[in-house]
């Protein structure tokens, strides 16, 4: 292990990750340090104080590695190098050190399912003949049909079109096919090859030696493939967030990989962690990723996908807590990320969506476990649904034949200050941003919300401060009958009530002697004679003084 000031992570209570609030930084869209319109590592360094002021425990960085950017950096050409548009390796090391100095931990993305087509391994595979050791690192197969003109199986890509591309061999003739469950520029790695295992263990150590506190594992359900690569019998796939029972995802072999990784993580000081981005069909399958000898956390996408409904949220919370509790793992709670429509828009958009989004934020941050906040959540940002066609960068747009606009609407650079784009995204005087920002975002900038006690930013700051005071397990409370209300306590002195209905509802006071600690917005709850009237689509936190 190298000696480096970044080697020493912030001090924290044991198993910090069980209750941490982790802030997702989509690097391209957080802060631009050099004025080229693309977010970068120096830009993030300059905005770390915002995260300290917000009150989060860690930040997770999306890929900043060397990449042709066919899929926003998730097509990695070199896992040990920083792409020049984001800075250099020294910038990454300085960011880790600066974050640690401020008491923030740093989690970075790792992409084990595939590489870029520009990766040296894949370039060597293209230059090598069929059956070579170079091709054995990926999934190269002979095609079907009389002349091999058909793909080896019927798998289709999550980005549209077939999951196989045929290569031209050295003699100029059509040859083998290679597998890519995403874009053709992202060939899938063959994890049956010991070289792949060894390479990723070394990549983990490379970044752990530089002080990172953990890894977010992209497509964690993907690396292991079923024996024989059988047909899926699907004509097309939904987006990645589908929970379909796909034969090429969530194979038992992934758990062997993560048991290897856990040993490496445990060999470093400071409780380094890994969190799985695993889109699986149910909570039971998700729990397999966070057994004691595997990963520390897994994103709870079942919660993210839950519709605005008291009963739906009750069921997913109950299922999540009970299922993950059986393996001793904490739940994670997340409302938005760079791959899904922002929750303010999912919940109806406009004032309705914002009101529900603020209530959902208090619900989420009240739950026991770890919470993830996507950049801009704390500002109440909506999805940008009217990006010009010519501005779209997500490969889904092209691969779908311009029928699916993709994920760019959740990736628009966030506003920091000022009244005109790029809203302080870059250095003083810069007006460039890689995706255009809406005019309405002037009112949603960090500067505009910082001193407004009614702003979404103020709500998040207060919630994250108060959240540290609540500990214990969740128990559901009696609501007196209304189906549109959730009420629960965490420990002995904290409770949360959420009215999902549009109209006010009267329910029992959640705890004897409770007082309102925080309200998501609008009118304050009215208490009288042991009851409380909750405004519509509002969440309230309650505390009992010791």
């Amino acid at each position: 292990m190298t000696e480096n000031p970044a080697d020493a992570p912030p001090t924290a209570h044991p198993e910090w990750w069980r209750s941490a609030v982790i802030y997702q930084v989509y690097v391209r869209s957080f802060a631009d340090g050099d004025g080229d319109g693309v977010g970068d590592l120096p830009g993030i360094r300059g905005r770390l104080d915002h995260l300290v002021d917000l009150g989060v425990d860690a930040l997770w960085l999306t890929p900043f590695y060397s990449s042709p950017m066919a899929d926003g950096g998730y097509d990695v050409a070199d896992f040990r190098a920083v792409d020049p548009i984001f800075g250099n390796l020294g910038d990454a090391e300085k960011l880790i050190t600066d974050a640690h100095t401020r008491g923030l931990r740093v989690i970075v993305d790792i992409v084990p399912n595939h590489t870029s087509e520009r990766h040296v391994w894949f370039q060597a595979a293209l230059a090598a003949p069929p059956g070579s050791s170079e091709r054995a690192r990926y999934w190269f197969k002979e095609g079907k049909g009389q002349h091999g003109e058909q793909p080896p199986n019927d798998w289709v890509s999550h980005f549209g079109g077939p999951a196989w591309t045929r290569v031209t061999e050295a003699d100029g003739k059509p040859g083998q096919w290679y597998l890519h469950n995403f874009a053709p520029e992202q060939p899938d790695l063959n994890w049956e090859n010991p070289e792949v295992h060894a390479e990723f263990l070394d990549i983990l150590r490379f970044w752990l030696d530089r002080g990172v506190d953990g890894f977010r594992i992209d497509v964690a359900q993907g690396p292991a493939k079923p024996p024989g690569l059988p047909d899926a019998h699907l004509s097309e796939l939904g987006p990645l967030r589908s929970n379909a029972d796909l034969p090429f995802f969530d194979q038992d072999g992934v758990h062997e990989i993560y048991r290897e990784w856990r040993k490496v993580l445990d060999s470093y000081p400071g409780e380094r962690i890994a969190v799985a981005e695993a889109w699986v069909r149910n909570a039971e399958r998700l729990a397999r990723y966070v057994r004691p000898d595997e990963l520390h956390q897994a994103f709870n996408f079942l919660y993210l996908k839950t519709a605005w409904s008291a009963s739906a949220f009750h069921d997913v919370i109950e299922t999540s807590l009970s299922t993950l509790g059986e393996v001793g793992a904490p739940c994670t709670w997340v409302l938005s990320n760079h791959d899904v429509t922002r929750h303010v828009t999912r919940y109806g958009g406009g004032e309705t969506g914002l009101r529900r989004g603020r209530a959902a934020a208090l619900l989420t941050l009240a739950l026991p476990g770890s919470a993830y906040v996507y950049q801009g959540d704390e500002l109440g940002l909506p999805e940008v649904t009217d990006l010009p066609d010519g501005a779209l960068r997500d490969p889904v747009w092209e691969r779908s034949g311009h029928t699916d606009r993709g994920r760019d609407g959740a990736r628009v650079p966030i506003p920091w200050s000022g009244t005109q784009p790029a809203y302080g995204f870059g250095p003083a005087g810069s007006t460039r941003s890689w995706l255009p920002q809406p005019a309405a975002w002037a009112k949603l900038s960090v500067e505009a919300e910082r001193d407004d006690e009614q702003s979404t930013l103020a709500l998040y700051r207060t919630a994250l401060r108060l959240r540290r005071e609540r500990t214990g397990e969740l128990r559901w409370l009696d609501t007196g009958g209304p189906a549109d209300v959730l009420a629960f306590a965490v420990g002995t002195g904290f409770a949360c009530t959420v009215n999902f209905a549009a109209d006010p509802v009267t329910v029992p006071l959640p705890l004897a002697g409770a007082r309102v600690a925080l309200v998501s917005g609008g009118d304050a709850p009215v208490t009288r004679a042991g009851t409380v009237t909750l405004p519509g689509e509002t969440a309230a936190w309650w505390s009992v003084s010791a």
Side-chain angles (χ1 to χ4, degrees):
M1 189 183 304
T2 59
E3 292 295 329
N4 188 305
D7 284 341
T11 57
H13 61 276
E15 297 190 323
W16 62 272
W17 42 273
R18 287 185 172 271
S19 60
V21 176
I22 300 172
Y23 185 97
Q24 181 190 352
V25 171
Y26 189 71
V27 176
R28 296 177 67 89
S29 300
F30 187 69
D32 171 19
D34 59 11
D36 66 355
V38 178
D40 49 38
L41 300 181
I44 298 169
R45 288 181 64 203
R47 295 293 188 180
L48 287 176
D49 287 343
H50 170 68
L51 304 186
V52 174
D53 182 61
L54 185 60
V56 300
D57 301 293
L59 59 154
W60 148 37
L61 304 171
T62 55
F64 50 80
Y65 314 115
S66 176
S67 169
M69 301 295 161
D71 182 24
Y74 282 94
D75 49 316
V76 180
D78 186 345
F79 288 92
R80 298 175 183 84
V82 174
D83 196 275
I85 68 169
F86 298 133
N88 55 47
L89 186 58
D91 291 322
E93 292 173 337
K94 291 174 184 176
L95 173 56
I96 295 166
T97 299
D98 285 359
H100 285 174
T101 299
R102 289 167 171 80
L104 297 168
R105 295 176 183 262
V106 179
I107 295 169
V108 299
D109 245 300
I110 191 166
V111 188
N113 184 71
H114 49 261
T115 70
S116 166
E117 64 173 349
R118 304 281 183 86
H119 192 285
V120 292
W121 274 11
F122 194 70
Q123 290 298 303
L126 292 178
S132 63
S133 60
E134 290 85 358
R135 289 200 175 183
R137 296 164 175 160
Y138 296 89
W139 290 101
F140 279 85
K141 295 291 183 183
E142 300 295 334
K144 293 180 178 179
Q146 184 176 2
H147 302 290
E149 69 276 10
Q150 298 174 14
N153 66 24
D154 67 354
W155 295 4
V156 289
S157 164
H158 274 289
F159 289 166
W164 294 90
T165 291
R166 198 175 191 185
V167 303
T168 300
E169 303 292 1
D171 61 5
K173 296 179 181 180
Q176 289 189 310
W177 299 72
Y178 70 88
L179 175 67
H180 52 86
N181 274 313
F182 295 90
E185 296 89 349
Q186 296 169 290
D188 279 38
L189 287 161
N190 179 4
W191 277 85
E192 293 181 6
N193 189 325
E195 282 190 76
V196 177
H197 286 256
E199 171 70 358
F200 272 83
L201 292 177
D202 191 70
I203 292 167
L204 293 178
R205 294 187 181 101
F206 179 88
W207 288 105
L208 289 167
D209 287 346
R210 279 151 185 80
V212 302
D213 301 287
F215 301 89
R216 177 263 191 187
I217 305 170
D218 183 64
V219 195
Q221 77 279 18
K225 304 299 190 285
L229 308 186
D231 283 345
H233 304 294
L234 296 170
S235 59
E236 62 180 11
L237 283 181
L240 175 60
R241 40 263 189 212
S242 168
N243 287 322
D245 188 7
L246 302 173
F248 41 85
F249 278 161
D250 195 25
Q251 296 292 302
D252 288 345
V254 298
H255 302 290
E256 176 185 345
I257 297 169
Y258 301 136
R259 282 190 286 270
E260 289 181 340
W261 289 19
R262 180 60 181 260
K263 292 176 182 177
V264 173
L265 291 165
D266 286 348
S267 72
Y268 281 76
E271 296 194 68
R272 317 294 177 97
I273 72 163
V275 54
E277 184 217 25
W279 293 92
V280 295
R281 64 180 180 267
N282 56 42
E284 289 74 20
R285 298 297 298 184
L286 189 67
R288 291 164 58 86
Y289 289 79
V290 288
R291 290 174 289 193
D293 61 343
E294 293 190 39
L295 306 177
H296 300 75
Q297 297 181 341
F299 288 132
N300 190 342
F301 294 125
L302 299 175
Y303 181 83
L304 182 150
K305 289 166 60 70
T306 301
W308 182 255
S309 157
S311 61
F313 270 95
H314 174 279
D315 291 349
V316 74
I317 293 168
E318 180 68 18
T319 298
S320 300
L321 289 170
S322 62
T323 305
L324 272 71
E326 289 178 2
V327 295
C331 287
T332 65
W333 312 104
V334 58
L335 293 170
S336 291
N337 63 36
H338 65 292
D339 282 330
V340 300
T341 301
R342 285 188 178 272
H343 62 273
V344 165
T345 299
R346 293 202 318 271
Y347 294 152
E351 290 301 316
T352 296
L354 180 58
R355 186 168 59 251
R356 291 176 174 179
R358 289 167 60 104
L362 287 198
L363 166 61
T364 300
L365 294 173
L367 295 169
S370 177
Y372 281 76
V373 175
Y374 179 44
Q375 64 180 45
D377 284 357
E378 77 276 22
L379 304 175
L381 296 186
E383 185 86 355
V384 180
T385 58
D386 58 353
L387 288 170
D389 290 356
L392 299 178
R393 305 288 186 85
D394 192 338
V396 172
W397 173 240
E398 292 296 335
R399 295 277 292 171
S400 68
H402 296 178
T403 61
D404 185 335
R405 294 180 62 80
R407 302 160 291 178
D408 287 328
R411 301 176 175 185
V412 174
I414 65 173
W416 289 96
S417 60
T419 59
Q420 299 292 327
Y423 302 119
F425 175 60
S430 172
T431 60
R432 301 175 66 183
S433 63
W434 72 280
L435 286 172
Q437 302 155 301
W441 279 17
K443 298 179 180 179
L444 299 177
S445 72
V446 174
E447 180 183 61
E449 294 195 23
R450 181 179 291 123
D451 297 324
D452 180 359
E453 294 183 357
Q454 304 304 313
S455 70
T456 303
L457 178 57
L459 179 74
Y460 270 80
R461 281 199 311 247
T462 303
L464 290 175
R465 175 176 55 80
L466 295 177
R467 185 179 189 274
R468 299 180 185 277
E469 302 173 7
R470 64 105 184 94
T471 58
E473 297 183 357
L474 180 146
R475 69 182 189 280
W476 297 106
L477 301 176
D478 180 23
T479 62
D484 293 319
V485 178
L486 283 186
F488 59 88
V490 177
T492 58
F494 174 89
C496 176
T497 52
V498 187
N499 179 11
F500 285 80
D503 298 322
V505 173
T506 299
V507 296
L509 193 67
L511 299 172
R515 58 177 179 79
V516 176
L518 186 61
V519 181
S520 62
D523 297 331
V526 177
T527 59
R528 63 168 63 90
T531 66
V532 56
T533 300
L534 292 169
E537 299 175 331
T538 298
W541 283 8
W542 305 82
S543 65
V544 178
S545 300

